[in-house]
Amino acid sequence: MTIDYPKIIQDLGAEIDPQRNEGQVAQYIPELAKVDPSKYGLALQCLGGDQYTLGAAEEKFSTQSIAKVFSLALAMLHGGNAIWERVDVEPSGTSFNSLVLLEYEEGIPRNPFINSGALVVADLLVELLDNPKGTLLSWIRQMADDQAIDFNYAVAASEESCGHRNRAMAHMLKGFGNIHGQVDEVLNFYYHLCSVEMSCKQLAQAFTVFANDGCQATGQRLLSSQQSHRINALMQTCGFYDEAGEFAFRVGLPGKSGVGGGIAAVYPGHYSIAVWSPQLNPQGNSVLGMESLESLTSKTGMGVF
Ligand code: DON
């Protein structure tokens, strides 16, 4: 069956109204609260090479928790299976910054995408790498095949200045022995990870690796098949926190959201896609981002289920 992507993307664009003002731009990180709520971008990257875009597809935004997929991949590359002794692979059913389960489960985060899990991944990278921030940036640039990707230092500093929940979480993890390094160093790395700025085009390009069995579009292998499959499994079950079920139900693709309003998702063997709209629902996921992806998979009739 041939899918008419140009028409589908055009129709999707006509349906989505970025002026609709449903949801709210993230307020708890002061730098993110300044973002124009009406921004909207989308980039669909087919494995065959075709690319379709809408709106501000080349404008960079704060990837936030989407970047946790890159740090996890890097930890799997450098640390093998070590991370799975310290982080579980189960959906949490709680918000991304919840502390509740961490106390009950004695410092073992439910999965690597909730903040506590991403902090343990950050600790592992800080422990393993000589230059954690530099190696992380090189890795993301390699995945996206783009040297122009960078941290936004103002966003990292902004979150560091008010990240009381993350600080509490990191200290609790340290108390349970699941942070090995210095809490402040791990937090600083984590905030820089979350501050990485990318456009929809760059994100779709980087996520090609997860859509393409661990290989770039050129065929160059960056991850093993198993690593790529496992990351997709985790995105499917844990990528949207307490809305992972909703996203699977409405969209039916592995994906990852961030409080910057981005969502990146993959249809393995077919395409990767990134969409950006900063207005979030109460679970911290982009309202129009979810709607856009639901519209795409409904119109194509294709998804992993
Ligand atoms: O730690 C935080 O709260 C943010 N840097 C990232 C949270 C996030 O993106 C959750 N995703 N929807």
Side-chain angles (χ1 to χ4, degrees):
M1 183 175 58
T2 328
I3 307 278
D4 189 354
Y5 285 113
K7 171 151 175 34
I8 285 173
I9 295 297
Q10 195 182 17
D11 290 351
L12 186 162
E15 279 169 17
I16 296 297
D17 176 11
Q19 308 294 332
R20 207 174 66 200
N21 280 332
E22 199 183 313
Q24 208 187 15
V25 175
Q27 299 295 311
Y28 73 104
I29 302 173
E31 276 300 305
L32 292 189
K34 296 178 186 168
V35 175
D36 176 355
S38 68
K39 292 283 182 186
Y40 181 86
L42 178 147
L44 171 72
Q45 179 68 56
C46 296
L47 290 189
D50 291 338
Q51 188 183 69
Y52 307 99
T53 61
L54 282 174
E58 293 192 36
E59 189 168 331
K60 290 186 183 180
F61 58 91
S62 200
T63 56
Q64 293 296 320
S65 288
I66 301 173
K68 293 172 181 172
V69 185
F70 302 132
S71 56
L72 174 63
L74 191 62
M76 289 166 79
L77 266 184
H78 285 265
N81 285 324
I83 191 66
W84 308 125
E85 284 161 28
R86 299 170 59 187
V87 179
D88 210 341
V89 292
E90 296 297 339
S92 66
T94 55
S95 64
F96 60 86
N97 57 6
S98 170
L99 278 148
V100 176
L101 287 173
L102 199 57
E103 168 76 345
Y104 273 123
E105 296 177 355
E106 301 186 341
I108 301 295
R110 271 287 172 106
N111 66 67
F113 294 148
I114 49 174
N115 288 12
S116 55
L119 284 165
V120 174
V121 171
D123 179 58
L124 187 107
L125 290 173
V126 166
E127 197 177 12
L128 282 177
L129 304 172
D130 291 336
N131 174 9
K133 284 185 207 164
T135 306
L136 175 75
L137 263 191
S138 305
W139 168 238
I140 298 175
R141 288 171 177 169
Q142 186 184 10
M143 284 195 73
D145 193 20
D146 194 327
Q147 294 302 308
I149 293 166
D150 216 332
F151 300 121
N152 180 323
Y153 293 94
V155 169
S158 176
E159 190 171 4
E160 193 147 33
S161 73
C162 63
H164 303 294
R165 286 187 79 92
N166 285 329
R167 183 164 295 276
M169 220 169 274
H171 279 284
M172 194 191 279
L173 286 162
K174 181 83 182 168
F176 279 115
N178 205 4
I179 293 263
H180 300 167
Q182 302 210 355
V183 166
D184 285 343
E185 200 186 341
V186 172
L187 282 167
N188 182 270
F189 176 78
Y190 171 81
Y191 292 134
H192 282 81
L193 164 73
C194 293
S195 83
V196 167
E197 286 192 323
M198 292 169 78
S199 67
C200 289
K201 269 190 173 185
Q202 290 169 325
L203 270 172
Q205 185 69 45
F207 270 63
T208 293
V209 175
F210 305 119
N212 198 27
D213 203 42
C215 298
Q216 287 180 304
T218 56
Q220 192 190 335
R221 182 164 288 287
L222 296 188
L223 297 168
S224 70
S225 287
Q226 188 195 54
Q227 286 166 336
S228 173
H229 296 171
R230 286 184 162 180
I231 289 169
N232 286 346
L234 286 163
M235 285 202 277
Q236 187 72 67
T237 52
C238 313
F240 296 81
Y241 314 106
D242 40 345
E243 263 196 331
E246 177 91 3
F247 192 80
F249 187 80
R250 285 174 50 191
V251 178
L253 298 176
K256 185 74 205 77
S257 63
V259 292
I263 298 179
V266 292
Y267 182 22
H270 295 262
Y271 60 73
S272 51
I273 182 163
V275 56
W276 171 47
S277 167
Q279 298 186 89
L280 309 178
N281 66 20
Q283 286 75 29
N285 299 318
S286 169
V287 175
L288 288 188
M290 281 180 74
E291 267 185 36
S292 302
L293 294 173
E294 181 179 8
S295 168
L296 172 70
T297 52
S298 304
K299 289 183 199 309
T300 59
M302 300 201 311
V304 298
F305 302 108

